[in-house]
Amino acid sequence: ALDGAKTRFPHLTFDVRWRPYELMSSLPTGRGYDKMEYYEAKFGAAMVRGMIPRMKATAMEHGIEMNYGGYVGNTFDSHRLIWKAREEGGSELQDKVVEQIFQAYFTENKSLGERTVLEECASKAGLAQSSIDFLSDASDNSEGTREVRDEMLEYGRAYQCTGVPMFIVDGKHTLSGAQERDSFLRLFGKL
């Protein structure tokens, strides 16, 4: 949608910024829980059986192979990494890091609660090793912790964010949940 929008609306400036939001902040760090067992416990087996084929089909329409094996762990450090990428290299580097994180979780069945997975994502995205080392400090005073927590509170309150994805356009228009391309184009046309 974004590439088409840039052509269709050349008067607009696009700067994608990934904001933090934790769906399951109580998950443990490290490997975490079996993804399918966790989903079934949270949503119910019947809902998961219906949801996953639809999500896989939608992803495949966009050339993304989604898998549902592996584990699900606490994602807070992934948000710190995404924040750090923005600080180091702006939107372009942040997008590359997010792409690697999505690839690791949705396609490669890796747990985002594992620091080694995040370090691998950062390296593949082009973040310098000196910028990756900060992940080894997981204390409450570690780099990016306060910034990510503040951002979650700020955007959660300002936009009543209760789930992902949530898109904030021009600081005042929101789209919640997965959206069709035309939803974005209609919104961009109003700007």
Side-chain angles (χ1 to χ4, degrees), residues 30-48:
R31 189 160 140 185
Y33 304 126
D34 178 277
K35 192 184 295 185
M36 288 307 297
E37 288 176 10
Y38 184 80
Y39 285 176
E40 287 177 0
K42 183 174 175 119
F43 303 114
M47 184 175 189
V48 171

Side-chain angles (χ1 to χ4, degrees), residues 100-120:
Q100 290 301 317
I101 286 172
F102 286 173
Q103 174 82 18
Y105 183 73
F106 290 113
T107 302
E108 299 169 1
N109 294 321
K110 294 180 179 178
S111 174
L112 300 181
E114 294 185 271
R115 189 163 292 119
T116 56
V117 170
L118 298 178
E119 290 169 350
E120 181 182 315

Side-chain angles (χ1 to χ4, degrees), residues 58-75:
T58 301
M60 193 55 73
E61 290 173 12
H62 299 280
I64 301 166
E65 180 184 343
M66 288 184 89
N67 295 303
Y68 286 91
Y71 293 83
V72 57
N74 190 289
T75 61

Side-chain angles (χ1 to χ4, degrees), residues 20-36:
Y21 183 81
E22 286 185 290
L23 287 171
M24 303 166 286
S25 61
S26 62
L27 285 171
T29 57
R31 189 160 140 185
Y33 304 126
D34 178 277
K35 192 184 295 185
M36 288 307 297

Side-chain angles (χ1 to χ4, degrees), residues 72-180:
V72 57
N74 190 289
T75 61
F76 188 78
D77 280 343
S78 69
H79 294 293
R80 288 177 55 223
L81 176 58
I82 293 166
W83 167 84
K84 180 70 167 181
R86 176 78 181 198
E87 292 293 304
E88 295 284 320
S91 296
E92 184 178 342
L93 184 57
Q94 191 180 47
D95 278 343
K96 289 178 182 177
V97 166
V98 169
E99 182 68 31
Q100 290 301 317
I101 286 172
F102 286 173
Q103 174 82 18
Y105 183 73
F106 290 113
T107 302
E108 299 169 1
N109 294 321
K110 294 180 179 178
S111 174
L112 300 181
E114 294 185 271
R115 189 163 292 119
T116 56
V117 170
L118 298 178
E119 290 169 350
E120 181 182 315
C121 291
S123 180
K124 285 181 178 179
L127 205 58
Q129 185 61 45
S130 60
S131 296
I132 298 170
D133 291 340
F134 84 102
L135 286 170
S136 62
D137 180 2
S139 69
D140 286 340
N141 296 320
S142 61
E143 184 179 5
T145 296
R146 180 184 49 77
E147 293 85 352
V148 168
R149 290 198 195 290
D150 288 351
E151 200 171 351
M152 279 195 274
L153 285 172
E154 177 186 348
Y155 281 84
R157 287 181 186 148
Y159 297 99
Q160 292 82 48
C161 183
T162 58
V164 295
M166 179 177 199
F167 305 92
I168 303 166
V169 179
D170 201 26
K172 53 190 166 229
H173 307 283
T174 60
L175 294 171
S176 292
Q179 299 290 320
E180 295 293 327

